[in-house]
Amino acid sequence: MDVRILKYFLAVAQEQNITRAAESLHTSQSNLSRQLAAFEDDIGKQLINRGSRKITLTDEGMFLRKRAQEIVDLVDRTSNDLVNFDNDVTGDVYLAAAETPAIRLLADVMVDIQKQHSQIKFHVFSGSTIEVAERLDTGLVDFGILVEPVDLQKYDYLRLPVKDTWGVLMQRDSPLAQKAAIEPADIRDKPILGSRQMLDGNVLSGWLGINPHELNIVATFNLINSPAMMIERGMGYAFTFSHLINTTGNPNLCFRPLMPKVETSLYLVWKKYQVMTPANNLFLKQLRHQLTF
């Protein structure tokens, strides 16, 4: 697949209109239409529905849109890395992180680096451990923060000197808020907003005594900030890490740790045999230095 054609396709998917897409690409409408039609013929699939008012994507088009964006991002990033490869004071560092307060540790390193090398830019993607691993494995990011349990065999890694503590986020006037800590029997029958981290990682099955999927899951989520607002409105409870949501002074929310206590280790990982750019090397060197103190 020609990257140029993928960029044409993405522009049409974004604008939902051939004319506007052609203008954004600085090409003619007829050329863009001809290129897309030839692309569909080449792959043998219809990608777009050409409506009278707007263009929509077929199922195959929806699938390609995600993959095409990943391919274009990777090509652009690789080109940029090559341009900056011999320059140790510029470049980009791409990081994907599961939700964790440990990001503050890495932020300290980023701040120190940018004080000395202001042209180094950091790009951070937030998601579940599964999403982070996917972006690592496809080369879309250089580093990832993974929360155990995790298979580290295909990665080089640093174990971070912090642990995350699991607990339950709830309304402050919930009956469970009267407890200092939450036990498995307290929560098994409650409406739960479940994160991908908890459900797909199956990290709390030992503590719960059941598979997390057997809970009364009323909603699922990737990141906790929006679900926190749903919990404020009385939708249920969510398992999450301490200090992700600031409940101090919040009249509507509170956090209670689990009992027995459940902690998880955290790892900064990168692909084995990865060729590091100067910016990546500097980030890793600074982080190793900070972890020795």
Side-chain angles (χ1 to χ4, degrees), residues 157-179:
Y157 63 89
L158 290 176
R159 184 169 182 165
L160 300 180
V162 291
K163 289 189 176 183
D164 279 339
T165 301
W166 282 95
V168 179
L169 188 69
M170 66 189 77
Q171 283 186 307
R172 195 171 290 276
D173 60 1
S174 164
L176 292 186
Q178 306 306 313
K179 298 175 65 71

Short mmCIF file of all heavy atoms in Angstrom, two decimals, residues 157-179:
data_model
loop_
_atom_site.label_atom_id
_atom_site.label_comp_id
_atom_site.label_asym_id
_atom_site.label_seq_id
_atom_site.Cartn_x
_atom_site.Cartn_y
_atom_site.Cartn_z
N TYR A 157 13.60 -4.07 30.38
CA TYR A 157 12.74 -3.30 31.29
C TYR A 157 13.51 -2.79 32.51
O TYR A 157 14.60 -3.28 32.85
CB TYR A 157 11.57 -4.17 31.77
CG TYR A 157 11.97 -5.39 32.57
CD1 TYR A 157 12.10 -5.33 33.96
CD2 TYR A 157 12.21 -6.61 31.94
CE1 TYR A 157 12.47 -6.44 34.69
CE2 TYR A 157 12.57 -7.73 32.65
CZ TYR A 157 12.70 -7.65 34.04
OH TYR A 157 13.07 -8.76 34.76
N LEU A 158 12.91 -1.81 33.13
CA LEU A 158 13.32 -1.33 34.45
C LEU A 158 12.13 -1.48 35.38
O LEU A 158 11.02 -1.04 35.04
CB LEU A 158 13.72 0.15 34.39
CG LEU A 158 15.01 0.54 33.68
CD1 LEU A 158 15.14 2.06 33.68
CD2 LEU A 158 16.21 -0.10 34.36
N ARG A 159 12.37 -2.08 36.52
CA ARG A 159 11.31 -2.15 37.53
C ARG A 159 11.30 -0.82 38.28
O ARG A 159 12.33 -0.41 38.83
CB ARG A 159 11.53 -3.31 38.49
CG ARG A 159 10.40 -3.47 39.49
CD ARG A 159 10.54 -4.79 40.24
NE ARG A 159 9.44 -4.98 41.17
CZ ARG A 159 9.14 -6.14 41.74
NH1 ARG A 159 9.88 -7.21 41.46
NH2 ARG A 159 8.12 -6.25 42.56
N LEU A 160 10.17 -0.16 38.29
CA LEU A 160 10.08 1.14 38.96
C LEU A 160 9.99 0.96 40.47
O LEU A 160 9.36 -0.01 40.94
CB LEU A 160 8.86 1.91 38.43
CG LEU A 160 8.88 2.20 36.93
CD1 LEU A 160 7.63 2.98 36.51
CD2 LEU A 160 10.13 2.97 36.52
N PRO A 161 10.60 1.86 41.24
CA PRO A 161 10.67 1.69 42.70
C PRO A 161 9.40 2.15 43.41
O PRO A 161 9.47 2.71 44.50
CB PRO A 161 11.87 2.58 43.07
CG PRO A 161 11.82 3.68 42.08
CD PRO A 161 11.34 3.06 40.79
N VAL A 162 8.26 1.93 42.78
CA VAL A 162 6.98 2.28 43.40
C VAL A 162 5.99 1.16 43.10
O VAL A 162 6.18 0.37 42.17
CB VAL A 162 6.44 3.61 42.85
CG1 VAL A 162 7.30 4.78 43.29
CG2 VAL A 162 6.35 3.59 41.32
N LYS A 163 4.95 1.10 43.90
CA LYS A 163 3.87 0.15 43.67
C LYS A 163 2.55 0.87 43.73
O LYS A 163 2.39 1.87 44.43
CB LYS A 163 3.90 -0.98 44.71
CG LYS A 163 5.07 -1.95 44.55
CD LYS A 163 4.91 -3.15 45.46
CE LYS A 163 6.03 -4.16 45.23
NZ LYS A 163 5.85 -5.39 46.05
N ASP A 164 1.60 0.37 42.94
CA ASP A 164 0.25 0.93 42.98
C ASP A 164 -0.61 0.11 43.92
O ASP A 164 -0.51 -1.12 43.97
CB ASP A 164 -0.37 0.92 41.58
CG ASP A 164 0.09 2.10 40.74
OD1 ASP A 164 0.54 3.10 41.34
OD2 ASP A 164 -0.01 2.03 39.51
N THR A 165 -1.46 0.80 44.66
CA THR A 165 -2.35 0.16 45.62
C THR A 165 -3.78 0.18 45.09
O THR A 165 -4.32 1.24 44.75
CB THR A 165 -2.31 0.89 46.98
OG1 THR A 165 -0.97 0.86 47.48
CG2 THR A 165 -3.23 0.21 47.99
N TRP A 166 -4.39 -0.99 45.01
CA TRP A 166 -5.77 -1.10 44.53
C TRP A 166 -6.76 -0.70 45.63
O TRP A 166 -6.51 -0.91 46.81
CB TRP A 166 -6.09 -2.52 44.10
CG TRP A 166 -5.55 -2.91 42.75
CD1 TRP A 166 -4.39 -3.56 42.48
CD2 TRP A 166 -6.19 -2.67 41.50
NE1 TRP A 166 -4.24 -3.74 41.14
CE2 TRP A 166 -5.33 -3.21 40.49
CE3 TRP A 166 -7.38 -2.07 41.11
CZ2 TRP A 166 -5.65 -3.15 39.15
CZ3 TRP A 166 -7.70 -2.01 39.76
CH2 TRP A 166 -6.84 -2.55 38.79
N GLY A 167 -7.86 -0.14 45.18
CA GLY A 167 -8.95 0.18 46.10
C GLY A 167 -10.22 0.42 45.31
O GLY A 167 -10.30 0.10 44.12
N VAL A 168 -11.21 0.99 45.98
CA VAL A 168 -12.52 1.21 45.36
C VAL A 168 -12.87 2.70 45.43
O VAL A 168 -12.79 3.31 46.50
CB VAL A 168 -13.62 0.38 46.05
CG1 VAL A 168 -14.97 0.64 45.41
CG2 VAL A 168 -13.28 -1.11 45.99
N LEU A 169 -13.24 3.25 44.30
CA LEU A 169 -13.74 4.63 44.23
C LEU A 169 -15.26 4.59 44.34
O LEU A 169 -15.91 3.79 43.64
CB LEU A 169 -13.32 5.28 42.92
CG LEU A 169 -13.60 6.77 42.76
CD1 LEU A 169 -12.72 7.59 43.71
CD2 LEU A 169 -13.38 7.20 41.31
N MET A 170 -15.82 5.44 45.19
CA MET A 170 -17.26 5.39 45.44
C MET A 170 -17.79 6.75 45.84
O MET A 170 -17.01 7.68 46.12
CB MET A 170 -17.55 4.38 46.56
CG MET A 170 -17.00 4.80 47.92
SD MET A 170 -17.12 3.50 49.17
CE MET A 170 -15.76 2.43 48.69
N GLN A 171 -19.12 6.86 45.88
CA GLN A 171 -19.73 8.07 46.42
C GLN A 171 -19.41 8.20 47.91
O GLN A 171 -19.38 7.20 48.64
CB GLN A 171 -21.24 8.04 46.24
CG GLN A 171 -21.73 8.35 44.84
CD GLN A 171 -23.24 8.44 44.78
OE1 GLN A 171 -23.94 7.54 45.23
NE2 GLN A 171 -23.75 9.53 44.21
N ARG A 172 -19.21 9.42 48.35
CA ARG A 172 -18.85 9.64 49.74
C ARG A 172 -19.98 9.25 50.71
O ARG A 172 -19.72 8.91 51.86
CB ARG A 172 -18.44 11.10 49.97
CG ARG A 172 -17.72 11.34 51.29
CD ARG A 172 -17.14 12.74 51.37
NE ARG A 172 -16.01 12.93 50.47
CZ ARG A 172 -14.76 12.57 50.76
NH1 ARG A 172 -14.48 12.01 51.92
NH2 ARG A 172 -13.79 12.78 49.89
N ASP A 173 -21.23 9.28 50.24
CA ASP A 173 -22.34 8.89 51.11
C ASP A 173 -22.76 7.44 50.93
O ASP A 173 -23.80 7.00 51.41
CB ASP A 173 -23.55 9.81 50.89
CG ASP A 173 -24.06 9.78 49.44
OD1 ASP A 173 -23.49 9.02 48.63
OD2 ASP A 173 -25.04 10.49 49.15
N SER A 174 -21.92 6.64 50.21
CA SER A 174 -22.19 5.21 50.09
C SER A 174 -22.03 4.52 51.44
O SER A 174 -21.17 4.91 52.24
CB SER A 174 -21.21 4.59 49.09
OG SER A 174 -21.19 3.18 49.20
N PRO A 175 -22.84 3.49 51.73
CA PRO A 175 -22.67 2.74 52.98
C PRO A 175 -21.25 2.18 53.13
O PRO A 175 -20.72 2.12 54.25
CB PRO A 175 -23.69 1.61 52.85
CG PRO A 175 -24.75 2.15 51.94
CD PRO A 175 -24.02 3.03 50.97
N LEU A 176 -20.61 1.81 52.02
CA LEU A 176 -19.25 1.25 52.10
C LEU A 176 -18.23 2.31 52.49
O LEU A 176 -17.13 1.98 52.94
CB LEU A 176 -18.85 0.62 50.76
CG LEU A 176 -19.59 -0.65 50.34
CD1 LEU A 176 -18.97 -1.23 49.08
CD2 LEU A 176 -19.59 -1.69 51.45
N ALA A 177 -18.58 3.59 52.32
CA ALA A 177 -17.65 4.66 52.67
C ALA A 177 -17.43 4.73 54.18
O ALA A 177 -16.45 5.36 54.63
CB ALA A 177 -18.18 6.00 52.16
N GLN A 178 -18.30 4.09 54.95
CA GLN A 178 -18.12 4.07 56.40
C GLN A 178 -17.01 3.12 56.83
O GLN A 178 -16.56 3.17 57.97
CB GLN A 178 -19.44 3.65 57.08
CG GLN A 178 -20.64 4.50 56.68
CD GLN A 178 -20.41 5.99 56.87
OE1 GLN A 178 -19.94 6.41 57.93
NE2 GLN A 178 -20.71 6.79 55.85
N LYS A 179 -16.58 2.25 55.92
CA LYS A 179 -15.54 1.28 56.23
C LYS A 179 -14.16 1.86 55.94
O LYS A 179 -13.99 2.68 55.03
CB LYS A 179 -15.74 0.00 55.40
CG LYS A 179 -17.06 -0.73 55.67
CD LYS A 179 -17.24 -1.90 54.74
CE LYS A 179 -16.20 -2.99 54.96
NZ LYS A 179 -16.38 -3.74 56.21
#
